[in-house]
Every structure is written in structure tokens, then in C-alpha cells.
Amino acid sequence: MSVPIYTSFPNRMKPSIEDIEFHGISALRLNGPRGSSVVVARQGAQVLSWITPDGRERLFLSDKAVFDGSVAIRGGIPVCWPQFAGLGDLPKHGFVRTRAWQVTARRQGDDYALATLSIEDDAETRALWPHAFRLELTVMLEADRLDLELCVVNPGGADFSFTGALHTYLRVVQVEDVALEGLYGHDYRDAAQGDKVVRDTGTELTIDRETDRVYRRVRRPQLLKAGNLSLGIQSQDFTDVVVWNPWVDKCAALADMPADGWRHMLCVEAAVADTPVVVPAGEEWYGRQTLVAGYLTLLFVPDFTRA
Ligand code: TA6
């Protein structure tokens, strides 16, 4: 597998939104300013691609991902709800990842494109989880910035609580070469180390083994640095940050990952995992993850062929 991929060049087209097929499933493509784009599948309201104006794909999507709805799509930004991982009796990461969402809003201006996808409870979800709910995921693309806002509405007559995450798979050239800043001094629980709670004391996190950490009550934004590339990551009202890389052996055990998939991804997830959120009857909750792309420094090469 070759990374990175340069798939488009900056252009002056106005932002627009199109209905497309992506890997055989129904999706929207948001074309943003300066050649940026995002693809959002109706299945799971899952963002599957984010290309920045330098033509670079910023999200990891497995070459072996399955798109038939039988399992969650491996990569992009899955919405995990109303349960994070195995923190309860529901299917792992909840049940909205594999379900069909409706497109309920699309808008564009000179410097953005935006779409909202929604899903509500039905007989099948109530058989698993006995609550009325409405979820809305709003995806807003600007030139160098992607915002995902999850709105959880409780239209029922009783309070409910949830855990969950925007399970963002970032694409990296080589995970051993990246460093993640911003988690210094926070406690984390690492499922790859027997769920031990540890305080992070390094100024930056590097990945050199299986890592599956829930950092609790994170107050600072994160910065992912990889050579001359960087990515700013900020969340609002998602209290925790999850950092996941399966490394070699766990990756080999995942049927929908290529053998070297672990090397080209790092999940940095906006999550509520440590303490569930209670949504009182008739109220709503909002959480957001923002990704801001940084660039290679372009060297100016004088053109001596011109007079
Ligand atoms: O968010 C990290 C995590 O919970 C890991 O433990 C790992 O299993 C990952 O999610 C992927 O889960 P999935 O159900 O998509 O295979």
C-alpha cells in the first residue's frame, strides 16, 4: 500500500455537495474551498475521506474494509453510540455504525460546505436499548478544517445515559514516526496494559507498541506531528480522548485490516468513556471534534528560465 496519495489539486471551484457512490455505497461528497473534500456515507453517517487543499488524504480507510453493513467500516470516522467499546451489554461501540442515516440538511457558502445526517430509534434499536432518541451528525468542511458535531436528543419521557466516541482514524505515513502532544499530565486507562490507570508524564506520546488508552478529562487540544505535517485536534464536551493503535499482532487478527494497516493509522478519538453522559428527558447534548490541517513548508524555487 502506498501512502500518501495526492488525489487532487487546489482549484477555485465554489463549494458544493454531490450525491455519490463510494465503494458501492451511497454517500455525499462535500467539495470545500481550494480543492478540499470530504466523503460521508449514509451508512453510519461515517466520514470516509478528508482531502485537504494540498491533495493529501488525512483519514485512514482500510484496503480491506467491508462496506455491506454486516460490520462497521474500518476507517474514517465511525460514530460509536450509545456505548463506547465494551462498556455495557450492547454490541461493541453501540449500534449506529452499521445503520442507515438520513441526510437532513445540506448547505454551502463561499468558504464552507455542510451536511447533517440523522437517525432515530425504531423497533430494532428499542429491542436493544429501550429509549427514544434522535442523533444528528453535522459535518462542516472549510479549506483546512473539518468539524464534526454530534447532537444527542432525548425526546422521551425518561432520562437516559450514554457513552460513545467519534472514532477518528488518522492516516499517517508511518506511526512509529509520529508524536502526539497535549496529553501530558492526564490520567489514562490502557486496555493494552490490563486496564491499569497511569498518569502520562511524557511531553509527547509516541507509539512503539499496542496502545489502547482512554485519557480522562482532557483539557487541552492535541497536536499530531509527523515530519513537516501536523494536525490540530480539539474536542468540546467529549471529556475523554482515546488513542488506539493495534500494532502488529492485533492488526493481524482483524480480518478487515491489511497486515501493515497498523503502521498507517492512529486513532485519536473524541470520547465520553470514563463517565457516562446523562441526557434528561426532553433535553439534548452536543459534542464536537475539530481537525485542523497543517502543511509541508513549500520551498520557493526561483525560475531562472524566465528573463
Ligand atoms: O477505541 C478503541 C477501541 O475500543 C479498541 O479497543 C479497538 O478494539 C477499537 O476500538 C476498534 O473496535 P472495532 O469494534 O471497530 O473493531
Side-chain angles (χ1 to χ4, degrees), residues 74 84-85 92-93 97 167 169 212 242 244 254 269:
R74 176 75 61 198
F84 177 74
K92 187 173 175 201
H93 285 316
R97 292 191 293 179
H167 196 300
Y169 285 76
D212 193 353
V242 175
W244 179 57
L254 296 170
E269 308 166 31

Side-chain angles (χ1 to χ4, degrees), residues 210-211 244-251 254 257 262 265:
E210 183 194 350
T211 304
W244 179 57
N245 183 281
W247 209 248
V248 183
D249 293 347
K250 280 270 169 72
C251 180
L254 296 170
M257 277 288 259
W262 62 275
M265 56 148 286

Side-chain angles (χ1 to χ4, degrees), residues 140-271:
M140 180 157 110
L141 174 69
E142 293 169 87
D144 304 317
R145 173 178 167 136
L146 179 63
D147 274 285
L148 266 77
E149 182 182 80
L150 183 68
C151 172
V152 178
V153 185
N154 179 355
D159 302 356
F160 66 62
S161 65
F162 70 86
T163 54
L166 299 175
H167 196 300
T168 306
Y169 285 76
L170 300 174
R171 183 180 190 92
V172 297
V173 174
Q174 194 155 293
V175 77
E176 301 100 307
D177 295 340
V178 309
L180 186 63
E181 288 180 358
L183 298 168
Y184 170 79
H186 290 91
D187 290 342
Y188 65 83
R189 178 171 51 78
D190 196 334
Q193 290 174 37
D195 269 335
K196 223 171 34 184
V197 175
V198 185
R199 174 152 296 191
D200 199 308
T201 51
T203 45
E204 48 184 37
L205 171 64
T206 50
I207 307 292
D208 58 4
R209 69 195 68 182
E210 183 194 350
T211 304
D212 193 353
R213 300 182 177 177
V214 177
Y215 282 85
R216 311 201 272 194
R217 291 178 288 282
V218 175
R219 295 171 301 276
R220 286 191 295 265
Q222 296 84 57
L223 182 68
L224 182 77
K225 297 187 304 182
N228 292 332
L229 279 180
S230 68
L231 190 79
I233 306 159
Q234 179 147 30
S235 42
Q236 244 176 285
D237 293 308
F238 281 103
T239 47
D240 309 322
V241 171
V242 175
V243 181
W244 179 57
N245 183 281
W247 209 248
V248 183
D249 293 347
K250 280 270 169 72
C251 180
L254 296 170
D256 56 358
M257 277 288 259
D260 68 344
W262 62 275
R263 175 160 273 153
H264 304 302
M265 56 148 286
L266 182 66
C267 287
V268 182
E269 308 166 31

Side-chain angles (χ1 to χ4, degrees), residues 5 20-29 39-41 43 46-49 57 59-69 73-76 171:
I5 310 172
I20 59 163
E21 257 201 22
F22 191 78
H23 290 276
I25 59 171
S26 167
L28 294 181
R29 177 181 288 124
V39 174
V40 195
Q43 181 183 317
Q46 191 159 336
V47 172
L48 296 176
S49 161
E57 176 59 69
L59 299 178
F60 172 83
L61 180 60
S62 169
D63 289 348
K64 294 175 82 179
V66 176
F67 294 89
D68 66 6
I73 300 166
R74 176 75 61 198
R171 183 180 190 92

